[in-house]
Amino acid sequence: MKTGDLRSKSAEQLQAQLVQLKKEQFNLRFQQATGQLEKTARVKEVRRDIARVKTLLAEQAKAEAEA
């Protein structure tokens, strides 16, 4: 997921994306615990995507507070 793509989304869309990513992270952790996870690198990708979305949400909140 590219940061540029995320910057074009609204706060509501980013919140929805965050919820979706957290669900995926939960499912991946569950698969890893049961030994069914095939693409272990996906765990790292999802974790970083969550961080990207949270960073953009914080930036938007800061910009709104300053305005």
Side-chain angles (χ1 to χ4, degrees):
M1 183 178 314
K2 301 271 185 178
T3 307
D5 298 336
L6 292 174
R7 287 193 189 276
S8 64
K9 294 186 177 184
S10 68
E12 293 81 23
Q13 291 173 324
L14 288 174
Q15 285 289 352
Q17 184 76 29
L18 182 62
V19 169
Q20 178 186 1
L21 287 168
K22 286 193 175 210
K23 285 180 183 179
E24 183 178 356
Q25 183 183 35
F26 174 80
N27 289 331
L28 289 172
R29 283 196 322 245
F30 194 85
Q31 288 176 6
Q32 190 173 25
T34 59
Q36 297 175 348
L37 185 62
E38 294 180 10
K39 295 175 75 176
T40 57
R42 185 67 184 142
V43 175
K44 184 177 181 179
E45 291 172 8
V46 170
R47 193 177 74 238
R48 289 186 176 188
D49 288 343
I50 289 171
R52 281 186 190 99
V53 171
K54 284 185 172 183
T55 301
L56 289 174
L57 284 170
E59 285 177 2
Q60 288 180 358
K62 184 179 178 184
E64 288 177 8
E66 289 177 357

